[in-house]
Amino acid sequence: VIKVGKRVPYYLNRQMIMLLTVHRVPPSAFLTMQTAMLNELDDMLSNSKTAVELLPQLSGPDSSIKSSLIHMLKSGFSPLSDPFLFSCLYAIRSHHLINLRKKSRIFVKKGAVLLGGLDETGEVPEGCVFIKVRNNGSNSQLSPIIGPVLVAKHPVTHPGDVRMLLAVDVPRLQAHTNVILFSQHGKQSEAEKMAGSDLDGDEFAVTWDNRLFLNSWNCCTSLEDGKYRSTLGRMMTATKNNTFDLESANHPPMDFDTQPKADHVHTILDEHLVEHFVNFAKADTLGRISMMWLDYAAINESAACSQCLELANLHSIAVDYPKSGVPAVIPRELVMPSAAPRPHWREKKGESYHCKSTIGKLYDEIVERSTKHEEMKKYSAVAGRRFSKQGQLLCFKDKKIGTSENIFKTDVVEKLELFKEPFDEVENSEASECILFAIKQRELYEDELILLMNKYRVHSEGELLTGCISKYHRLNKRRRFDLAEEIRIQCKQLRDTFREEFLTKVVNHVLPQSVIHNNGMDHCLDCAHSAASSNRSKLVIKIDSVSHEEVFSMRNFAQKLAAAYYLVTYNLQMRKFGYEDQDVVSEGGVVSIYLKSLSQGTDGIFKDSKEKDKSHSLYSFPHLVFDVIAVGLRDRVED
């Protein structure tokens, strides 16, 4: 198994927008979609409900960091007051603003990128597809899409690469979810018409948003029994037995049979392989062809011009070059002089002209919106957060900005019962143990995090952990995509390492060594994870020789330890202690120090502490266990 079908968020790009414009999709459709996306990205920084709904749909961070952020939002934390939450959301927002400006990547809510396959039952008619996804958000039920859909296989360069098809419901295919199944009937499969796909793991972009439908189907009105009315009043039909009106909206596909084939070799030798790789390095013209296609489409105000059609054929050859061995040779007459003016949205050095096309209008809007950093700065005075001159959110303390604003939520510590009443040291020896362990882990975690920040020259905590980097060092600009993926992997390894330390502490504190030895530490860690992060109604743990009471003891201790992680990070006085101050903490008593921190300022509390002069202000440590915190808070609400 190479790939499992899953729904991936769908984003338009410049090539797709230009081709849809050829098929009479109005510019207002794209402008409306981009404006809605910008409004939601802005609202996400201040509205927790919007952030919860939008985060699962956005690309950028991996699923683990998304899960932590959603747990925080659902637990009552707000990006207006929480520095780590705001830093991550701001990094995700900046990532999408950059993609909108450079690539016109507009999010399509009613759309998905799905793995393509063939209907083996033969029940999907010609010109139809079967699609079963969650239609109304991540929490909705899986249901088949029924009606006209627009399907494309990226990259798209030819007007025939985008096609109108009919999505139908087939009872025998209900088990196939998050895939698009094409019909096996007809002279030529619909998948082959789109960039010559042979369904060998290809993914297809599909949308059922009628604002993006082609020609007369654009913004059509659904009536009944497969009848539709166009905006001009024309009646159209789209049923299993009649897809003629849909097919008439499509452009004839590119003829892939006319493309040159490589010379046949009877015996492949090492010399052939070396020659192939060397030639590929010399003749890889794919990126150049793509940029030339955009330039000619802008100059001629159409992606269906003769130059674009010729470049589309060359693009298809270049895509297959690693497999076919046939290079795409660009004719001299198509080469544009380097000094020739380019559209302003190319952001190319040299002479440019203001392009009034759909792409130009989208670019102008995003530039106007993304330069308004002054509005964002009202959120930055949180726990020392500030913006650089380039608009990048930093995580280093600013002497001009105080940290007196209260970002610590006492109800997290109180509801998770880190401290017991009466508030004395004897009754809270377990709390002392948790806090000292949390201080040590926080220091180790932050040291590792700063090493990563220095290694990759990323100065924003949110950008590093989400992988949504807005400013790359000049040495890393050429490998931005690879670097972002590398950073995500490193941060995931960091989270996994310290998460395992957390669970190990829970297991060793609660379970007898004999039980750990008999069941193995790995199995006990899995059980501790389930005990700490599962809903109470779904809590099923199977460990030999472990009672029901011990399972809930693991759950309760994990929640106390998670509360300690939060306390030593977010309490502005408690976080000043380092692990070398454990004697001061033990002598002063964690309960006394905590109560003083709630009743008075910093002065007088830490005169004996060996506080280190740290210039950074990091708050991501508790996100390692925020699922445990969220479950604990939910338990108290249910009680």
Side-chain angles (χ1 to χ4, degrees):
V1 177
I2 298 175
K3 188 184 297 182
V4 177
K6 66 176 182 178
R7 180 175 181 172
V8 178
Y10 177 38
Y11 292 83
L12 300 175
N13 59 20
R14 285 176 174 170
Q15 290 87 345
M16 186 69 175
I17 292 171
M18 286 179 165
L19 286 176
L20 291 179
T21 304
V22 171
H23 291 286
R24 304 207 309 268
V25 178
S28 59
F30 307 111
L31 289 166
T32 301
M33 294 174 71
Q34 179 173 273
T35 301
M37 182 178 177
L38 289 171
N39 291 338
E40 288 186 327
L41 288 173
D42 288 345
D43 194 35
M44 179 176 69
L45 296 181
S46 57
N47 190 319
S48 298
K49 183 179 179 182
T50 302
V52 169
E53 294 174 352
L54 199 60
L55 269 176
Q57 305 170 6
L58 295 178
S59 62
D62 60 29
S63 57
S64 60
I65 190 70
K66 280 185 184 180
S67 177
S68 292
L69 296 177
I70 292 172
H71 279 306
M72 292 182 73
L73 291 163
K74 289 185 176 180
S75 298
F77 290 84
S78 169
L80 286 174
S81 59
D82 187 275
F84 171 67
L85 189 55
F86 176 76
S87 181
C88 289
L89 294 180
Y90 186 84
I92 296 170
R93 174 185 177 274
S94 298
H95 169 76
H96 285 279
L97 290 180
I98 292 170
N99 282 332
L100 282 169
R101 178 169 62 87
K102 292 183 175 292
K103 302 178 182 179
S104 297
R105 277 176 56 87
I106 302 174
F107 177 55
V108 182
K109 286 189 175 181
K110 295 181 178 180
V113 177
L114 305 171
L115 188 67
L118 183 68
D119 163 40
E120 297 183 357
T121 66
E123 295 187 20
V124 177
E126 182 180 357
C128 300
V129 290
F130 175 81
I131 305 166
K132 186 177 181 181
V133 294
R134 300 187 193 277
N135 194 359
N136 298 310
S138 57
N139 295 324
S140 61
Q141 295 293 323
L142 287 163
S143 60
I145 303 296
I146 300 175
V149 293
L150 177 71
V151 184
K153 178 184 172 294
H154 288 266
V156 290
T157 53
H158 189 274
D161 289 344
V162 291
R163 309 195 67 78
M164 290 295 300
L165 301 174
L166 181 65
V168 297
D169 185 15
V170 178
R172 288 181 62 188
L173 297 176
Q174 293 301 313
H176 296 79
T177 60
N178 295 322
V179 293
I180 176 171
L181 300 181
F182 291 91
S183 172
Q184 58 176 262
H185 304 291
K187 295 180 179 179
Q188 185 181 16
S189 72
E190 294 295 338
E192 187 182 356
K193 294 177 184 178
M194 293 177 278
S197 173
D198 52 4
L199 298 178
D200 58 349
D202 295 330
E203 292 182 318
F204 295 82
V206 56
T207 175
W208 48 97
D209 190 333
N210 64 8
R211 293 175 297 178
L212 301 177
F213 287 174
L214 309 184
N215 301 312
S216 57
W217 288 91
N218 187 259
C219 293
C220 62
T221 304
S222 176
L223 302 176
E224 57 183 13
D225 298 329
K227 301 292 183 182
Y228 297 85
R229 182 189 295 116
S230 71
T231 54
L232 299 177
R234 176 190 166 195
M235 296 302 296
M236 302 175 293
T237 303
T239 63
K240 285 185 177 182
N241 300 321
N242 186 356
T243 58
F244 176 78
D245 288 337
L246 274 175
E247 180 60 32
S248 63
N250 297 325
H251 190 281
M254 184 191 299
D255 188 0
F256 298 97
D257 293 334
T258 59
Q259 294 181 353
K261 302 288 189 291
D263 296 334
H264 181 69
V265 178
H266 292 286
T267 304
I268 299 176
L269 305 175
D270 290 344
E271 290 78 7
H272 294 118
L273 296 176
V274 172
E275 182 182 6
H276 173 74
F277 286 115
V278 171
N279 290 339
F280 174 71
K282 289 181 178 179
D284 183 17
T285 55
L286 183 61
R288 189 180 176 196
I289 291 171
S290 298
M291 293 298 102
M292 290 173 63
W293 188 93
L294 288 172
D295 289 335
Y296 276 112
I299 291 172
N300 297 314
E301 299 182 354
S302 173
C305 63
S306 59
Q307 294 96 329
C308 285
L309 293 178
E310 187 173 355
L311 286 168
N313 185 58
L314 291 173
H315 188 276
S316 178
I317 296 173
V319 168
D320 288 337
Y321 180 39
K323 295 185 291 185
S324 67
V326 178
V329 181
I330 302 174
R332 184 170 298 178
E333 59 270 16
L334 282 180
V335 178
M336 297 180 67
S338 58
R342 302 299 201 274
H344 69 296
W345 44 261
R346 278 284 309 274
E347 297 183 347
K348 189 176 175 65
K349 292 182 179 179
E351 188 179 354
S352 65
Y353 64 93
H354 193 275
C355 179
K356 297 182 179 180
S357 65
T358 302
I359 301 297
K361 293 176 182 177
L362 292 169
Y363 177 84
D364 292 341
E365 183 189 21
I366 191 63
V367 167
E368 181 182 355
R369 291 283 293 267
S370 61
T371 53
K372 294 181 178 179
H373 289 295
E374 292 300 322
E375 295 182 8
M376 294 295 105
K377 289 185 179 180
K378 64 184 179 182
Y379 303 128
S380 64
V382 177
R385 291 289 194 259
R386 66 181 176 88
F387 286 88
S388 66
K389 293 181 180 179
Q390 293 77 27
Q392 185 184 22
L393 187 69
L394 305 178
C395 71
F396 292 90
K397 289 182 179 178
D398 188 352
K399 295 179 180 179
K400 298 179 181 179
I401 298 176
T403 58
S404 59
E405 184 174 350
N406 185 20
I407 62 170
F408 175 63
K409 295 170 71 72
T410 57
D411 58 339
V412 173
V413 175
E414 292 170 358
K415 289 181 178 179
L416 297 185
E417 301 172 357
L418 176 61
F419 297 104
K420 294 180 181 178
E421 294 185 8
F423 291 109
D424 58 59
E425 302 303 327
V426 176
E427 289 293 328
N428 287 283
S429 58
E430 192 174 70
S432 297
E433 180 185 353
C434 290
I435 289 173
L436 289 173
F437 179 80
I439 290 174
K440 180 181 179 180
Q441 290 295 302
R442 188 201 70 211
E443 287 217 310
L444 293 172
Y445 170 81
E446 291 185 354
D447 287 345
E448 292 291 331
L449 196 64
I450 291 171
L451 285 175
L452 288 178
M453 296 174 78
N454 292 333
K455 176 182 178 180
Y456 295 109
R457 294 178 170 87
V458 176
H459 303 301
S460 168
E461 187 178 23
E463 290 187 12
L464 185 79
L465 292 172
T466 59
C468 299
I469 315 298
S470 61
K471 300 285 183 182
Y472 286 90
H473 189 268
R474 58 186 178 83
L475 299 177
N476 297 324
K477 284 187 175 181
R478 289 187 175 273
R479 51 184 295 264
R480 282 176 290 186
F481 178 81
D482 293 337
L483 189 71
E485 188 60 31
E486 182 180 324
I487 289 173
R488 289 189 187 99
I489 293 172
Q490 294 263 346
C491 289
K492 186 178 185 305
Q493 291 174 347
L494 182 66
R495 291 196 300 270
D496 291 345
T497 299
F498 282 89
R499 173 77 175 199
E500 185 175 338
E501 290 291 331
F502 172 84
L503 294 173
T504 301
K505 177 67 175 177
V506 173
V507 169
N508 288 329
H509 181 84
V510 177
L511 296 182
Q513 288 300 313
S514 58
V515 174
I516 299 174
H517 177 75
N518 293 335
N519 291 276
M521 179 57 83
D522 290 341
H523 182 60
C524 291
L525 291 176
D526 291 340
C527 294
H529 169 75
S530 299
S533 59
S534 300
N535 293 332
R536 217 160 22 182
S537 59
K538 300 178 180 179
L539 188 59
V540 179
I541 305 292
K542 292 184 179 180
I543 311 181
D544 294 339
S545 306
V546 173
S547 65
H548 186 76
E549 289 74 15
E550 285 178 318
V551 169
F552 275 88
S553 293
M554 281 198 294
R555 185 181 184 85
N556 292 332
F557 182 75
Q559 292 174 4
K560 286 185 178 182
L561 189 57
Y565 275 40
Y566 175 78
L567 173 65
V568 301
T569 305
Y570 275 80
N571 186 293
L572 295 180
Q573 286 78 32
M574 190 71 75
R575 70 174 282 113
K576 289 181 178 289
F577 285 110
Y579 189 66
E580 68 275 11
D581 301 317
Q582 58 179 320
D583 294 336
V584 177
V585 176
S586 299
E587 292 173 6
V590 291
V591 177
S592 300
I593 293 174
Y594 174 64
L595 293 176
K596 285 181 181 179
S597 73
L598 300 181
S599 61
Q600 65 183 78
T602 307
D603 295 340
I605 301 179
F606 303 102
K607 59 185 179 181
D608 296 324
S609 131
K610 301 173 184 177
E611 179 191 349
K612 292 190 291 186
D613 180 23
K614 293 183 179 179
S615 61
H616 59 276
S617 181
L618 303 174
Y619 289 91
S620 62
F621 178 58
H623 98 277
L624 302 168
V625 293
F626 240 102
D627 56 334
V628 181
I629 294 175
V631 166
L633 295 175
R634 194 182 308 126
D635 284 352
R636 273 60 180 185
V637 172
E638 292 174 357
D639 292 340

